Amino acid sequence: MDDVSRASNDTTFDRARPAKAERSKRGGGGGRKAKKWFCKIVPSIEGCAKPPDADPPMSFLDGPGPSRKQQQKKKRSPRGDGCSCCCPSSCLCGRKAGERTSKKQIPVAEICLRDAGAVVDELPTRKTTDVVNVVVNEVVTARRSKPADHVFEALSLRKPVEESTNLAERLPPPSKGHVSGATVVLPERLPPGPARDLPVPNPIVGQEVCLKTALSYLTDDAVGIMGIYGTGGVGKTTLLRSINNKFYGHAARTEFDHVILVAVGKDPDVKKIQRDIAYEVGLLLMDDESEVKRAAAIFDFLKTKNFLLLLDNLWGPLELARIGIPHPSSDGHKQKVIVSSRSMDVPAKMQAHKILRLDCLKWEEAWKLFSSKVGEENLADRRIRSIAVALAKECGGLPLALVAMGSAMSAKKTPEEWQKAVSLLKNAPLHEISGYQMLKENLIRSWMGLGSITDFDDINEAYNIGYSVIESLKAVSLMENSEKSYRRIEMHDVIREMALWTASGKESNENKWLVGAKTGETRSDEWSKAERISLMFNEIEALPDSCYCPNLQSLILRGNKHLMKIPNGLFPCMVLLRFLDLSHTGIVELPNEVGTLINLQFLNLSYTKIACLPKEMKELTTLKYLELEGTRELRKIPDGVISSLEMLQELNLYMSVCSHDSITFEELVSLQRLRSVGFTVRNIQCLLRLFSILRVSTHSLAIRELQGLISLHLLPSLLSKNKMGRLKNLTIESSQGLKELVMGEEAKTLNWQLYQLEVFNLVCLPELERVIWRGVAAHVCLPNLRFLSLFYCTSLKNIAWVAHLPLLQELYIQNCNEMERVIADEPPTASSEKEEKPTTTFPNLKYIFLRDLKRLVKIDDQVLEFPCLERILVYNCIGLKQLPLGATSAQKLMIIFGERNWWESLEWGDQSIKSIFTTCFREIPAGYEPSMKILEGL
């Protein structure tokens, strides 16, 4: 799942804690410990929130709130300096940046972007360079580590399991009854292999010899470190993935205990590399541990293991001991390291015993690859074929260029189009071609903010256009799906360099783009020449005091947590500025001079500590997008500011705190162009008033602190398609008396769906006993739900309805003290008897997190086949004595985290089943606070 991100310690966890008396009554004593990780429970929140006893969020529709004197009496949560909200430095949104991109701009083929199939067609009346500009705007400073708005990641792309390893076909079905009664005959070496199956291009051309040679070196005891080098885009990453995949499967355990592939990149982040290695092997590292302690832990774990470590895309030598990697030796353990780099010097300086060079493709191989992407129908035309040959030769045998060119040209149907492509490619050789990720929604919002997507009446239409453009870019190999998250896409750094080059006007004006490196410095002379500046997640503490930026159109400073102030005099020097992103910075106020930005169309202040918007914002009459999500310090929006933003199309106050008089209902109604909102409401009347604005849809909604309400009905008439068509995040929290949540209504809702909902959170609902589905089944209503969390729902006994959610990937349950079974048979109802339930249970579930469930006895009465399950965590669930793991679960299950005494007390009906999963177990050390980061590898 950017991504995600989802994907986060005075935080959302603090909001979830019951009152002190309630905790004492129900025995919930883990609240303070758990707050180090619970901050990431709501993936749509790029930061944290306050406890229930802090000032509650007030929507523009809420009634009078507490007086100033009452507010001052309330206790304030302790603060750290780690992020722009209220969490300590260990919070995800305050962690250090990862990889930084190069400022170097290399001339490459313009044709890949300017003639990229249907891309231009998808943005009528817009220049292709606008699309390129925005793509680069999001990509050029992407970090290797996951951004805070990409918290919850989703199912990795996988190749289909081959027939030879398909356990479901090889084994008889497990018995239906109790887990302990299951008897399955199992072949040898059924535990999952040491490697994850990784996606590789199809077809792979020209790597057969190198792959065979590399695999032969792995059998040579004299070769501990191997190097692979070659120009960018030649296929080094593909080769490493192919090597990795050779060890995917059960029999591979005879050679290696662990096969680990880690992308390093140009600016290595040692802690990030350590974190990635630890994630792959299931090693638990403390967030606040030093680099040295982490290295010692990794070394202690790996020193007695057989492992293969694949380090991809090194730009310089990497000291293995600094990471914690035992130096490969022939001391009885099979320990190998393979590094890839663009330079032969890198593996040489790392004392590699063997070094392979990966060359560009020979002509026959290059033409085979190119023609496979172009398509035989196009090449049937003799004129096109002759031009195609010339075009393929211009790619110089570089696989990435051949794939990009071939895919782009597959949409060209006339010789004239092909001839134009060749002329553009002349004198622009592709060279210096590893991946940059971005969240799809952020990219689309950037397109909207920069004016690449305009003239839409429905916000859904704008997003649909954006997704269509992304699919077009993917179709011509300019982007690809992230292997880690369904919400993210990737751009290869060669394509990135190409985008930079074309967007900057080629060689003529290469300083138009200022892309951030990990310097923490800003220079006024560089700023004065730039049209676009992107310095995300740097260590910037101060901006230039005076800087004339007459051409600057876009300024992105997202994630610079130490940036506390915008200097006076800076904004008046940016008269053409259209796009300003200050999210996740440490700023506490905007200078009044923000009113001089009369051309500003996009302003993002999400997850900052800003307390009041300046009244001068009334002058921003061209502003279309105002992002204030997670601004927990925001108490005042001056009268008339919102209503003055007459061009406003999207307003996001999700998880924001405002005084009751900050925004009036009339102000919102007056915004004739408003199409999309994010809000937190405290009663149904507020929700109804919000939905009464017919033209506005809601993308994020939190319903909290409902007073005196026993039953909450979310009816189709309330959550209609028009109102909730883009609802992606729904949170219901902190409502003490709520006993039941009802979704749908009898017989009238058979076709009702929250078809875009991806994240659903039920938090701090101590009296909630049941979730009822009327007239619609859960799997029909929530076809796209990926993430579900239940925290401090202390009266809830089971959630049987989750079992058949088709795309559910992450399930987190904590402090539900009455829950005895996650899934339990329920008495049939009139509507449920008519339901046709899917045959597969948890078909896409990837992570299961169970913590502090005092009465949990079983997950289910039957053995379950989890075809996609990768990780399980069980902590402080003393009554859980069985895991309902069937043979299919062994296909991908890599890690089971738990306490040693719990693991040893588990009951297994068949010892052969236990032997399958024994190698998956990882002990949670005493004193370690288990967090969702364990499952996500953050």
Side-chain angles (χ1 to χ4, degrees):
M1 316 204 163
D2 294 318
D3 286 114
V4 347
S5 323
R6 249 131 338 302
S8 253
N9 244 296
D10 283 323
T11 64
T12 306
F13 172 80
D14 291 326
R15 290 186 286 112
R17 286 188 294 183
K20 191 173 295 184
E22 185 67 29
R23 292 200 305 271
S24 176
K25 175 182 175 182
R26 300 188 177 276
R32 185 166 57 185
K33 293 181 180 178
K35 72 178 186 179
K36 285 190 176 180
W37 58 269
F38 191 84
C39 55
K40 297 178 3 181
I41 182 57
V42 185
S44 61
I45 300 176
E46 298 186 10
C48 309
K50 292 184 180 178
D53 60 352
D55 297 333
M58 305 284 290
S59 82
F60 69 101
L61 302 168
D62 288 336
S67 67
R68 182 182 302 273
K69 186 175 295 185
Q70 288 173 327
Q71 292 177 0
Q72 290 173 347
K73 290 182 179 180
K74 293 183 177 181
K75 293 182 179 180
R76 303 301 297 271
S77 58
R79 311 222 173 237
D81 56 0
C83 74
S84 58
C85 42
C86 53
C87 59
S89 56
S90 60
C91 176
L92 179 65
C93 51
R95 60 187 171 84
K96 292 185 178 179
E99 184 179 45
R100 292 297 179 263
T101 59
S102 171
K103 292 184 180 179
K104 184 178 180 182
Q105 298 173 356
I106 302 170
V108 286
E110 183 180 13
I111 179 60
C112 285
L113 291 170
R114 294 200 178 276
D115 292 280
V119 176
V120 180
D121 299 332
E122 295 294 345
L123 283 177
T125 75
R126 301 166 186 88
K127 295 180 180 179
T128 309
T129 49
D130 289 338
V131 179
V132 176
N133 289 350
V134 184
V135 171
V136 180
N137 194 50
E138 282 292 317
V139 175
V140 292
T141 55
R143 301 169 295 155
R144 288 186 295 110
S145 56
K146 302 175 184 177
D149 52 346
H150 305 164
V151 174
F152 294 95
E153 302 302 348
L155 186 62
S156 301
L157 298 176
R158 306 275 190 219
K159 292 195 303 183
V161 178
E162 296 182 4
E163 183 177 357
S164 61
T165 60
N166 192 330
L167 302 181
E169 295 180 5
R170 291 166 56 193
L171 301 177
S175 59
K176 286 279 187 178
H178 195 277
V179 176
S180 60
T183 56
V184 181
V185 179
L186 299 169
E188 294 182 1
R189 294 192 298 272
L190 275 178
R196 293 190 299 141
D197 193 21
L198 299 177
V200 294
N202 184 26
I204 299 177
V205 178
Q207 292 193 354
E208 296 82 0
V209 174
C210 278
L211 178 59
K212 184 177 180 180
T213 303
L215 293 173
S216 70
Y217 287 155
L218 293 179
T219 64
D220 188 345
D221 291 340
V223 179
I225 301 177
M226 184 198 318
I228 297 172
Y229 78 99
T231 189
V234 78
K236 300 184 295 296
T237 299
T238 297
L239 181 57
L240 287 187
R241 289 187 176 188
S242 298
I243 294 172
N244 171 91
N245 289 354
K246 290 296 181 180
F247 299 96
Y248 172 74
H250 309 289
R253 277 204 181 276
T254 58
E255 292 192 61
F256 295 108
D257 300 310
H258 303 284
V259 177
I260 311 153
L261 192 152
V262 175
V264 178
K266 189 172 184 178
D267 299 298
D269 183 331
V270 171
K271 280 196 170 184
K272 195 270 181 185
I273 297 170
Q274 292 172 329
R275 184 170 62 243
D276 288 349
I277 292 172
Y279 174 76
E280 293 297 334
V281 302
L283 178 63
L284 305 183
L285 301 177
M286 299 287 188
D287 287 343
D288 56 354
E289 283 181 330
S290 67
E291 178 186 301
V292 174
K293 287 185 178 180
R294 285 171 169 241
I298 293 173
F299 180 83
D300 189 59
F301 182 87
L302 290 178
K303 66 183 180 183
T304 58
K305 302 290 194 301
N306 298 326
F307 67 83
L308 170 60
L309 176 63
L310 307 166
L311 296 173
D312 189 24
N313 193 26
L314 272 69
W315 286 61
L318 189 65
E319 188 179 349
L320 296 179
R322 184 181 174 189
I323 304 296
I325 306 302
H327 195 278
S329 61
S330 55
D331 61 352
H333 297 292
K334 188 171 184 178
Q335 300 175 343
K336 307 284 185 177
V337 176
I338 303 179
V339 301
S340 75
S341 178
R342 298 181 183 183
S343 170
M344 184 179 68
D345 289 343
V346 173
K349 290 178 180 178
M350 294 180 67
Q351 299 180 330
H353 302 98
K354 295 288 184 179
I355 300 177
L356 291 176
R357 175 175 174 173
L358 193 57
D359 290 314
C360 292
L361 300 179
K362 297 179 180 179
W363 169 244
E364 294 79 9
E365 297 170 330
W367 176 248
K368 178 182 177 181
L369 180 58
F370 185 80
S371 58
S372 71
K373 299 301 178 182
V374 170
E376 290 299 327
E377 290 185 5
N378 282 340
L379 297 176
D381 186 304
R382 287 189 301 173
R383 291 179 298 168
I384 289 181
R385 189 180 184 90
S386 64
I387 299 172
V389 169
L391 184 60
K393 287 182 178 179
E394 289 293 337
C395 293
L398 203 60
L400 182 63
L402 290 161
V403 169
M405 296 300 102
S407 298
M409 298 309 297
S410 65
K412 307 303 177 185
K413 304 300 181 183
T414 66
E416 290 75 20
E417 290 177 300
W418 279 77
Q419 187 60 56
K420 180 182 178 182
V422 173
S423 62
L424 286 170
L425 191 58
K426 291 288 186 181
N427 303 317
L430 287 169
H431 63 290
E432 290 297 322
I433 296 191
S434 331
Y436 296 83
Q437 296 192 7
M438 70 198 82
L439 195 66
K440 292 178 183 178
E441 295 253 332
N442 281 356
L443 180 60
I444 294 172
R445 288 189 185 189
S446 297
W447 280 337
M448 291 190 285
L450 287 170
S452 297
I453 299 178
T454 58
D455 302 326
F456 52 86
D457 293 327
D458 185 346
I459 197 73
N460 294 345
E461 178 188 353
Y463 278 97
N464 289 337
I465 292 173
Y467 283 118
S468 179
V469 174
I470 288 174
E471 291 304 312
S472 297
L473 291 167
K474 286 164 53 181
V476 295
S477 300
L478 298 181
M479 289 182 177
E480 61 183 9
N481 287 320
S482 168
E483 68 183 61
K484 293 184 177 181
S485 172
Y486 68 95
R487 300 181 66 196
R488 290 163 137 196
I489 50 177
E490 296 181 347
M491 177 180 281
H492 198 286
D493 58 1
V494 171
I495 303 299
R496 166 190 169 272
E497 295 288 355
M498 178 176 14
L500 273 174
W501 180 67
T502 57
S504 297
K506 309 180 187 65
E507 305 93 335
S508 60
N509 195 354
E510 61 181 18
N511 292 321
K512 287 183 178 181
W513 281 79
L514 177 58
V515 178
K518 197 174 180 180
T519 62
E521 298 178 357
T522 58
R523 293 177 50 184
S524 57
D525 58 331
E526 293 179 331
W527 282 44
S528 62
K529 301 176 184 177
E531 290 185 359
R532 303 187 188 275
I533 297 176
S534 181
L535 301 172
M536 294 191 297
F537 296 95
N538 279 246
E539 300 298 325
I540 294 174
E541 297 182 4
L543 302 179
D545 289 331
S546 61
C547 182
Y548 183 55
C549 306
N551 301 313
L552 188 62
Q553 299 178 36
S554 175
L555 176 60
I556 302 176
L557 298 170
R558 181 192 310 169
N560 289 286
K561 60 183 180 180
H562 300 301
L563 179 61
M564 305 294 181
K565 183 180 180 181
I566 305 296
N568 292 325
L570 186 62
F571 283 161
C573 297
M574 302 176 174
V575 291
L576 295 183
L577 194 67
R578 295 163 49 196
F579 190 100
L580 177 59
D581 187 348
L582 299 171
S583 60
H584 291 278
T585 61
I587 64 171
V588 296
E589 65 177 358
L590 277 181
N592 296 338
E593 294 166 341
V594 68
T596 64
L597 301 177
I598 57 175
N599 291 300
L600 196 64
Q601 297 184 16
F602 182 99
L603 176 59
N604 192 347
L605 300 172
S606 298
Y607 302 100
T608 61
K609 296 180 181 180
I610 190 166
C612 178
L613 297 183
K615 63 180 185 301
E616 286 77 10
M617 279 186 61
K618 292 180 180 180
E619 304 302 320
L620 304 182
T621 55
T622 61
L623 193 67
K624 296 180 179 180
Y625 305 92
L626 179 56
E627 297 286 335
L628 296 168
E629 183 173 313
T631 48
R632 314 263 339 155
E633 302 295 325
L634 185 60
R635 294 293 187 273
K636 180 66 175 176
I637 299 178
D639 295 340
V641 165
I642 297 299
S643 59
S644 297
L645 308 178
E646 56 189 36
M647 301 295 289
L648 200 64
Q649 298 180 18
E650 184 167 30
L651 174 63
N652 189 2
L653 281 161
Y654 181 55
M655 294 299 175
S656 179
V657 181
C658 298
S659 63
H660 68 277
D661 59 349
S662 289
I663 304 176
T664 66
F665 177 68
E666 289 71 26
E667 280 189 285
L668 268 182
V669 172
S670 71
L671 298 174
Q672 294 298 315
R673 297 177 181 267
L674 188 65
R675 297 292 180 267
S676 180
V677 296
F679 266 101
T680 300
V681 298
R682 297 173 64 193
N683 55 63
I684 298 303
Q685 289 72 28
C686 297
L687 195 60
L688 291 173
R689 295 199 75 187
L690 176 63
F691 287 173
S692 70
I693 309 175
L694 298 178
R695 62 186 178 274
V696 177
S697 63
T698 305
H699 59 75
S700 298
L701 176 66
I703 304 173
R704 62 172 310 190
E705 296 180 348
L706 300 173
Q707 301 298 323
L709 194 64
I710 297 176
S711 180
L712 173 61
H713 291 237
L714 296 181
L715 304 176
S717 57
L718 183 67
L719 306 181
S720 65
K721 181 177 180 180
N722 291 337
K723 295 289 111 182
M724 309 300 282
R726 287 212 59 84
L727 185 67
K728 289 187 174 292
N729 306 293
L730 176 60
T731 299
I732 303 173
E733 63 173 348
S734 302
S735 299
Q736 300 294 321
L738 189 66
K739 291 183 179 293
E740 65 177 21
L741 172 63
V742 182
M743 305 288 285
E745 57 187 340
E746 293 295 346
K748 299 179 181 179
T749 58
L750 294 177
N751 297 319
W752 178 55
Q753 290 182 319
L754 295 175
Y755 58 95
Q756 290 287 343
L757 193 68
E758 296 181 354
V759 178
F760 189 18
N761 303 295
L762 298 175
V763 180
C764 197
L765 304 172
E767 304 299 326
L768 184 68
E769 297 175 353
R770 54 195 170 272
V771 179
I772 301 172
W773 299 85
R774 289 182 179 169
V776 63
H779 64 274
V780 175
C781 183
L782 305 175
N784 203 38
L785 193 71
R786 312 297 179 102
F787 177 98
L788 175 65
S789 68
L790 300 100
F791 286 79
Y792 284 101
C793 298
T794 50
S795 299
L796 196 62
K797 293 187 176 181
N798 71 78
I799 47 171
W801 51 273
V802 308
H804 300 294
L805 293 175
L807 294 183
L808 185 67
Q809 296 175 359
E810 303 178 44
L811 177 61
Y812 300 89
I813 310 175
Q814 188 203 338
N815 286 97
C816 296
N817 294 338
E818 295 295 319
M819 188 171 289
E820 297 177 356
R821 287 171 171 80
V822 175
I823 301 174
D825 292 332
E826 295 181 330
T829 63
S831 59
S832 66
E833 288 178 345
K834 301 176 184 178
E835 296 173 7
E836 292 186 9
K837 294 183 178 179
T839 56
T840 305
T841 304
F842 293 118
N844 277 296
L845 194 64
K846 180 179 178 182
Y847 301 148
I848 300 177
F849 184 98
L850 305 173
R851 174 173 175 168
D852 296 316
L853 306 176
K854 308 296 185 184
R855 297 191 181 184
L856 186 67
V857 176
K858 298 178 182 178
I859 295 176
D860 193 7
D861 286 331
Q862 299 182 1
V863 171
L864 300 177
E865 304 298 337
F866 295 93
C868 296
L869 189 62
E870 293 185 8
R871 298 194 163 210
I872 302 174
L873 181 141
V874 179
Y875 182 77
N876 198 19
C877 301
I878 57 177
L880 183 62
K881 299 299 183 183
Q882 297 157 349
L883 291 177
L885 298 176
T888 305
S889 303
Q891 291 181 354
K892 292 186 178 179
L893 185 61
M894 301 292 289
I895 306 292
I896 302 174
F897 290 108
E899 300 141 295
R900 172 65 63 180
N901 58 354
W902 167 78
W903 176 256
E904 293 177 349
S905 69
L906 280 179
E907 299 170 1
W908 303 88
D910 191 318
Q911 290 302 307
S912 60
I913 294 181
K914 179 181 180 180
S915 66
I916 298 176
F917 299 105
T918 297
T919 56
C920 299
F921 176 69
R922 298 289 186 276
E923 182 179 2
I924 298 177
Y928 188 94
E929 283 297 326
S931 75
M932 289 185 288
K933 287 193 252 184
I934 293 175
L935 303 185
E936 297 156 5
L938 297 177

